[in-house]
Amino acid sequence: MRVRSPRRVSSHVLAAQLALVVGVTALVSGLFLAPLSDQLDRQAMRRALAIAQTTAARPGLAAELTAEGRAADRPSPDGPLQAEAERIRKATGAEYVVIMDKRGIRWSHPSPSALGHHVSTDPGPALAGRDVTQIDDGTLGRTARGKAPLRDARGRIVGAVSVGIDYANVREGLLALVPRLLTYAGGALAVGALAAYLLARRLRRRTHALAFSDISALLAEREAMLHGLAEGVVALDAGGRVRLVNDEAQRLLGLGPEALGRPVTEALGPGRTADVLTGRVTGRDLVTVRGARVLVANRMPTADGGAVATLRDRTELERLGRELEGTRGLLDALRAQDHEHANRLHTLLGLLELGLYEEAAQFVTDSLGVHRATAEEVTERVHDPLVSALLVGKAAVAAERGVALRLAPDSLLPDRLVDPSGLVTVVGNLVDNALDAAAGSADPAVEVELRGEDDRTVVLAVRDTGPGVPPEHRELVFEEGWSTKAVPAADGVDDGEASSHLGLGLALVRRFAERAGGQVRLGASAQGGAEFRVVLPEALTDAATDVDADTGVHAGRGAESARTGAVT
């Protein structure tokens, strides 16, 4: 039958670990047994040699060999040498103890019939005075042998002693160790198998019993999903280092593949975006500005201590929102003017019904003069039609709220703006904030200063009579999400969602100024409130191409058309 390989990752790991444990155990056992056999052989030969040397050193043994050799030509089974050798053999457990003379004739042997015969192995080295150890076959089988020379009292070699130990006993000793070795190896194998099984179980839980093919498919699907999402995804590890950035996140954050493995604060630099991704700023649908983009971020912690953050590009939506706010501002201005015109018409109707015709005519003349004076004052000083129209509309809204909106005496803005819509956004944000701050003060007023400098620079200053901003908060007001306004409690609007729209206007003002190479500063106004000063270099086009040198009238759109548009 064909054996199928396991499909799950944990089963693969378990099979591999079991094979590894069995292989290592078998290898260690073999490596242990191989030198053990040689060691037992050497121990047997050293033991045989020690018995031979001890026997040869016995006092009187050499004298008995030479005396018996003179008395008889053949050794006797009842001789003293045979008796002594047998006693030593039985006492030591040796297979044989053979005493031989210089001719190699046996004078002792376990088998009496072998007495008087020449030894079966070469006695030359021992008779030459050298100790010999070997494993060899003889008349009594395979033995571990030790041979020692036998010397007389004067040190002359008169024979040799050969001792043999049955090799079967050596093998039995080796085989006796095998069961214990196998027991130890089996125990080690069992412990290794148990550890492998426990590790495989844990791995199975961590991998959700997935197969290798499933993991490969999931990885491919994950890559396709992450890089195909219209939202940016940034994954961080427990140390705050970037471990994944999909294509959309790279585009939104301006990052590249080199950001992987780096701390997010190092990859993005200090700022609100890095604070949101690292979790120092918490909340849902947090608004942050990165470069020219307005982003909405959400952060979700992971089980390993890291986090996954999603980013949505809300730049276009924010632009549309600002346009909608501008439209609402225009509607508010129209509503305020409509309310004002209705009041005037009611007054005029009352004068006519009372027959006060001269007073009615004077009232109409005065009303038209005030309205025309306000519009003309703006258009004479601010020649760009978009900005002047915005200021006229804001003046009507300010009047309805009881706040005086006026231009500074030295205001003069030519109709040469490089980015009129951008300046409209800046002016609208600052004026709205100033109106909110000034409302409720003792003598509420907002002053706007708009003028050109050095033919290319625009300076904008907005001052109010509000409570002002403490010095310790003058940098915080430009951070995304920071606001002194209370969150509006609108029905059906989540507090977190509502608060995410606050604290963004001034951040956009600063980003616009920085992109234009300028700067925004916040200080205290002469009226006691706050003063925002914006300097925009290179905000005006070349004067030679846009202003008539003789008349000073803008040649592109015309101050009169701008004035007419603003009044209308």
Side-chain angles (χ1 to χ4, degrees), residues 3 7 75 133 163 228 256-257 259 277 316 326 346 386 417 428 444 476 501 552:
V3 179
R7 296 183 66 244
T133 56
V163 177
L277 295 184
E316 187 65 19
H346 291 160
L386 294 179
L417 290 176
L476 295 176
H501 295 275

Side-chain angles (χ1 to χ4, degrees), residues 264-321:
V264 66
T265 52
E266 179 183 330
L268 296 178
R272 177 177 169 84
T273 304
D275 293 340
V276 169
L277 295 184
T278 55
R280 287 193 288 268
V281 177
T282 59
R284 185 169 62 87
D285 291 338
L286 298 172
V287 178
T288 179
V289 179
R290 176 69 177 175
R293 301 186 183 279
V294 179
L295 307 177
V296 177
N298 283 284
R299 184 179 185 274
M300 179 64 66
T302 56
D304 61 352
V308 175
T310 57
L311 303 169
R312 298 195 307 274
D313 189 358
R314 214 175 73 175
T315 305
E316 187 65 19
L317 183 61
E318 190 66 27
R319 185 184 67 81
L320 294 176

Side-chain angles (χ1 to χ4, degrees), residues 99-116:
I99 301 173
M100 68 186 79
D101 58 17
K102 293 182 60 175
R103 298 170 299 170
I105 302 300
R106 301 188 186 100
W107 287 83
S108 67
H109 196 274
S111 177
S113 60
L115 294 176

Side-chain angles (χ1 to χ4, degrees), residues 29-311:
S29 299
L31 293 176
F32 179 76
L33 287 175
L36 180 60
S37 177
D38 293 337
Q39 184 178 1
L40 291 177
D41 290 346
R42 288 193 297 271
Q43 287 180 353
M45 289 186 291
R46 286 197 297 269
R47 180 185 169 203
L49 179 60
I51 296 173
Q53 290 174 338
T54 303
T55 302
R58 290 183 65 83
L61 186 64
E64 292 177 357
L65 177 62
T66 55
E68 192 170 342
R70 289 195 300 269
D73 293 334
R74 292 181 59 83
S76 170
D78 299 328
L81 292 178
Q82 174 70 5
E84 183 66 16
E86 285 300 299
R87 187 187 65 81
I88 295 174
R89 180 181 70 84
K90 293 176 182 178
T92 58
E95 181 69 15
Y96 63 84
V97 176
V98 175
I99 301 173
M100 68 186 79
D101 58 17
K102 293 182 60 175
R103 298 170 299 170
I105 302 300
R106 301 188 186 100
W107 287 83
S108 67
H109 196 274
S111 177
S113 60
L115 294 176
H117 295 283
H118 197 277
V119 294
S120 59
T121 57
D122 183 18
L127 295 175
R130 297 196 301 271
D131 293 333
V132 178
T133 56
Q134 61 184 174
I135 294 177
D136 204 352
D137 295 323
T139 57
L140 297 179
R142 189 170 183 80
T143 55
R145 303 181 177 186
K147 299 179 182 180
L150 181 60
R151 302 175 184 272
D152 61 9
R154 290 183 292 180
R156 294 178 304 177
I157 296 175
V158 297
V161 177
S162 177
V163 177
I165 296 176
D166 190 2
Y167 194 71
N169 294 335
V170 179
R171 183 172 298 174
E172 289 175 359
L174 176 62
L175 295 177
L177 292 175
V178 171
R180 286 195 294 173
L181 177 63
L182 293 179
T183 301
Y184 297 147
L189 182 61
V191 172
L194 178 61
Y197 173 72
L198 296 177
L199 180 60
R201 277 188 55 188
R202 182 177 182 184
L203 184 62
R204 181 179 179 179
R205 290 195 301 268
R206 296 294 294 272
T207 59
H208 303 285
L210 292 175
F212 278 113
S213 58
D214 297 333
I215 292 178
S216 178
L218 287 175
L219 181 60
E221 293 170 2
R222 168 182 172 272
E223 291 296 317
M225 178 181 65
L226 287 177
H227 294 288
L229 281 176
E231 293 187 357
V233 178
V234 179
L236 308 177
D237 61 12
R241 291 179 293 272
V242 179
R243 60 183 177 188
L244 184 143
V245 183
N246 71 342
D247 296 341
E248 183 66 8
Q250 293 182 20
R251 184 183 72 85
L252 296 178
L253 299 176
L255 299 178
E258 68 277 0
L260 295 177
R262 297 171 57 192
V264 66
T265 52
E266 179 183 330
L268 296 178
R272 177 177 169 84
T273 304
D275 293 340
V276 169
L277 295 184
T278 55
R280 287 193 288 268
V281 177
T282 59
R284 185 169 62 87
D285 291 338
L286 298 172
V287 178
T288 179
V289 179
R290 176 69 177 175
R293 301 186 183 279
V294 179
L295 307 177
V296 177
N298 283 284
R299 184 179 185 274
M300 179 64 66
T302 56
D304 61 352
V308 175
T310 57
L311 303 169

